[in-house]
Structures are given as structure tokens and as C-alpha cells.
């Protein structure tokens, strides 16, 4: 119970809601719902938010780049709503009260007012505050069992400060296509706690696998240090094919021997499966 959340190996999914998106060839990143991802063992979720404005009212929808995430495979289906994802999370936590979930939120549409997105997010939290951890301090497990840990990539809001913005998960865009001297980069969560991130999302498959392995071998998560290791990539070409890339990279992870009783931080993948989640979380034991 006194183990810091950052010292646990945690399986995560990238663009967690991008199951039904169009065009799917270049936009789809998962083939299961977030509720199923939870059941399969994933605990970190990449939540991309945008404003959904109708008849003068605004809600939060899920989005991947320019594509809205939808409820079904039909391109005419309704936009996927953040409120429904939250309900699924509450249901999961009620059934598994010793578990915790991490929602890393980002304003996905540059045209949206970030303050409005944060205000709508606050409304969700205020409706059921007992389910949320919103401080910018790495918690231990007992502090967040049965809760959603909020982490935020919304830079404008985090610069304002306050106690409800969650963990400050901000890092510079890693969109270079050339090999960097160091695959992962450092930023600060607060004055004393650190975030290391490998998110080289423009690397080709071979470069990405090297970056993944470098981060597994050299990044050191600990009580005051979160490590995020993204397996996802859009590739170095004009149009990516996430599913094709994920098939290769995910298998490389499964073939990588991970030590027991060792923290590898948060490992985040496209097209996450139960087998991948188990491969990651078993390292805690």
C-alpha cells in the first residue's frame, strides 16, 4: 500500500478511444473498447478530448487528431462521449475497489478553448469527487485505490496552477524522424518529481523498437520518477498504418524478457491485448 504509483509496472493504451475512427487505416489505434481494455489489465489511458457543441450546449467528446471517435463502426454513429468513458471507469472501480486507473487527458483540437475543456472536466470530477485523485503529487497505492488518477497534458491550464489539474504530464513534442541521441526526454511534474517520456511517434518500425528497448534498459522509474514508454508510431512516411506497425512492435515487446520484481514504468501500446498487459504487469511480482 505504501508503494508509489510511479514504482509500479503499468500497462497502458495509446489513443485509447480510437477504435471506431475514419479513415480507420491511418487513424485506428485500438480494436477494443476502453471498458474491455480495463478488463484486459490496462490501467493507463490516453484520453484525447474535444468540444462537442450542439444547440448552444457543450460536452466533451473523444477525438484522434482530426477524426472523431464514434460509438460504433458506422460513420453515421454518434460521437463517443467522455461521460460514458467515466461511467465505465466508475463501474470497473466499483467491481474492483483495490485497483486504480490513470486518465492522461489532452485537448486534441487546437481550435478549442482549453479553459472550457477544463471546466467541463471539472464538472465531471465534481459530480463524483470520491472517485478522483487530482493533486500534482505522485501518490502511493493506498491513496488511489478505487480512484481515477488524473494526469494532464493541457499546458495552458497547468500553467495556471491549482489543485485539480492532476499530475502535470507535459513533454515536448517528439516528432523528429531522425534518431535522437537519447530516446527519452525529461520534464518536471513538480519541483521535486520527474517525468521521463519516450514518444517517438514519427520513427519507422526499426527505430521505434530500438527506442522502446533503450527506454526499457536505461530509464529508471522510482518513487519520484514516472517513465512513459510509448510503443506506438505513425511511421516516418506520409501516411501511417498503426495496426501493421503495432503487430511487429507488440510482438517485439512480448519477445523481450522482462525481469520479475522490476519496475518498467508505464508501457503504452496500440492494439493492446490481454497478453501484452499480463507481460507488463507480471514484472511487479
Amino acid at each position: 500500500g505504501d508503494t508509489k504509483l510511479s514504482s509500479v509496472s503499468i500497462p497502458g493504451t495509446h489513443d485509447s478511444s480510437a477504435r471506431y475512427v475514419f479513415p480507420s487505416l491511418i487513424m485506428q489505434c485500438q480494436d477494443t473498447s476502453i471498458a474491455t481494455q480495463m478488463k484486459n489489465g490496462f490501467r493507463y489511458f490516453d484520453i484525447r478530448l474535444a468540444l462537442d457543441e450542439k444547440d448552444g450546449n457543450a460536452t466533451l467528446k473523444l477525438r484522434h487528431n482530426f477524426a472523431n471517435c464514434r460509438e460504433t463502426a458506422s460513420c453515421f454513429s454518434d460521437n463517443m462521449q467522455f461521460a460514458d468513458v467515466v461511467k465505465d471507469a466508475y463501474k470497473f472501480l466499483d467491481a474492483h475497489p483495490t485497483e486504480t486507473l490513470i486518465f492522461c487527458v489532452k485537448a486534441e483540437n487546437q481550435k478549442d478553448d482549453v479553459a472550457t475543456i477544463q471546466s467541463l472536466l471539472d464538472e465531471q470530477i465534481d459530480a463524483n469527487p470520491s472517485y478522483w485523485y487530482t493533486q500534482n503529487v505522485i501518490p502511493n497505492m493506498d491513496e488511489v485505490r478505487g480512484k481515477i488518477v488524473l494526469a494532464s497534458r493541457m499546458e495552458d491550464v497547468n500553467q495556471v496552477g491549482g489543485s485539480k489539474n492532476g499530475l502535470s504530464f507535459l513533454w515536448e513534442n517528439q516528432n523528429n524522424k531522425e534518431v535522437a541521441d537519447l530516446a527519452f526526454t525529461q520534464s518536471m511534474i513538480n519541483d521535486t518529481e520527474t517525468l521521463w517520456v519516450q514518444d517517438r511517434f514519427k520513427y519507422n518500425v526499426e527505430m521505434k523498437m530500438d527506442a522502446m528497448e533503450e527506454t526499457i534498459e536505461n530509464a529508471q522509474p522510482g518513487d519520484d520518477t514516472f517513465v512513459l514508454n510509448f510503443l506506438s508510431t505513425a511511421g516516418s512516411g506520409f501516411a501511417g498504418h498503426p495496426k501493421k506497425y503495432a503487430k511487429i512492435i507488440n510482438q517485439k515487446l512480448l519477445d523481450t524478457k522482462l525481469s520479475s520484481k522490476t519496475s518498467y514504468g508505464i508501457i503504452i501500446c496500440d492494439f493492446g491485448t490481454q497478453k501484452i498487459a499480463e507481460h507488463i504487469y507480471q514484472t511487479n511480482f
Side-chain angles (χ1 to χ4, degrees), residues 2-207:
D2 60 356
T3 301
K4 289 289 187 177
L5 189 61
S6 52
S7 291
V8 179
S9 293
I10 298 174
T13 55
H14 163 253
D15 259 305
S16 306
S17 61
R19 181 189 186 189
Y20 299 126
V21 284
F22 303 93
S24 61
L25 182 68
I26 62 172
M27 285 296 180
Q28 185 186 10
C29 294
Q30 305 297 330
D31 52 13
T32 58
S33 67
I34 290 179
T36 299
Q37 292 167 33
M38 293 175 187
K39 293 177 182 177
N40 284 344
F42 293 94
R43 297 293 179 266
Y44 171 100
F45 301 93
D46 181 12
I47 305 293
R48 312 292 182 93
L49 301 173
L51 295 177
D52 198 3
E53 298 178 291
K54 296 179 182 177
D55 302 323
N57 296 318
T59 59
L60 294 176
K61 64 183 176 181
L62 283 299
R63 186 179 174 105
H64 176 201
N65 201 313
F66 60 80
N68 290 324
C69 302
R70 300 189 178 276
E71 292 182 353
T72 71
S74 169
C75 60
F76 301 106
S77 68
D78 291 335
N79 295 329
M80 189 175 176
Q81 296 293 311
F82 178 63
D84 293 331
V85 174
V86 171
K87 288 178 184 176
D88 287 339
Y90 293 165
K91 184 177 180 180
F92 177 83
L93 292 170
D94 286 343
H96 308 280
T98 63
E99 295 289 334
T100 188
L101 307 172
I102 302 172
F103 277 14
C104 185
V105 300
K106 178 186 178 185
E108 187 74 346
N109 186 356
Q110 294 182 350
K111 296 180 180 180
D112 286 343
D113 178 59
V114 178
T116 301
I117 290 178
Q118 183 66 43
S119 177
L120 293 170
L121 178 60
D122 288 347
E123 288 181 13
Q124 286 286 337
I125 296 170
D126 290 340
N128 289 281
S130 63
Y131 282 102
W132 292 86
Y133 178 87
T134 59
Q135 298 179 46
N136 189 27
V137 179
I138 297 175
N140 62 37
M141 286 302 303
D142 274 349
E143 290 179 283
V144 293
R145 294 191 194 279
K147 296 179 184 291
I148 301 168
V149 176
L150 179 65
S152 179
R153 294 180 64 188
M154 294 193 286
E155 187 169 1
D156 294 342
V157 173
N158 278 274
Q159 287 176 344
V160 174
S163 61
K164 286 180 59 179
N165 298 329
L167 295 168
S168 181
F169 274 21
L170 296 170
W171 63 87
E172 290 186 9
N173 204 358
Q174 298 180 11
N175 60 350
N176 55 302
K177 297 182 180 182
E178 300 77 27
V179 174
D181 292 336
L182 190 65
F184 45 92
T185 61
Q186 181 188 37
S187 60
M188 299 304 295
I189 297 172
N190 52 47
D191 290 340
T192 61
E193 296 177 325
T194 308
L195 178 71
W196 289 94
V197 179
Q198 183 282 114
D199 185 22
R200 304 290 173 178
F201 64 92
K202 288 291 187 178
Y203 275 9
N204 63 35
V205 170
E206 291 76 17
M207 292 163 58

Side-chain angles (χ1 to χ4, degrees), residues 215-282:
T215 307
I216 286 174
E217 292 172 3
N218 297 307
Q220 297 182 342
D223 287 356
D224 60 357
T225 304
F226 262 112
V227 173
L228 308 185
N229 191 1
F230 284 84
L231 277 57
S232 52
T233 184
S236 58
F238 176 73
H241 193 331
K243 193 165 193 175
K244 180 174 71 174
Y245 305 150
K247 184 177 181 180
I248 301 168
I249 298 169
N250 290 350
Q251 187 59 50
K252 178 67 173 179
L253 175 69
L254 290 171
D255 292 340
T256 299
K257 181 175 174 56
L258 301 178
S259 300
S260 61
K261 297 183 180 179
T262 302
S263 174
Y264 292 95
I266 305 175
I267 299 179
I268 304 156
C269 64
D270 282 342
F271 297 93
T273 64
Q274 186 175 2
K275 189 176 181 180
I276 293 170
E278 184 175 3
H279 184 59
I280 297 166
Y281 68 64
Q282 284 289 358

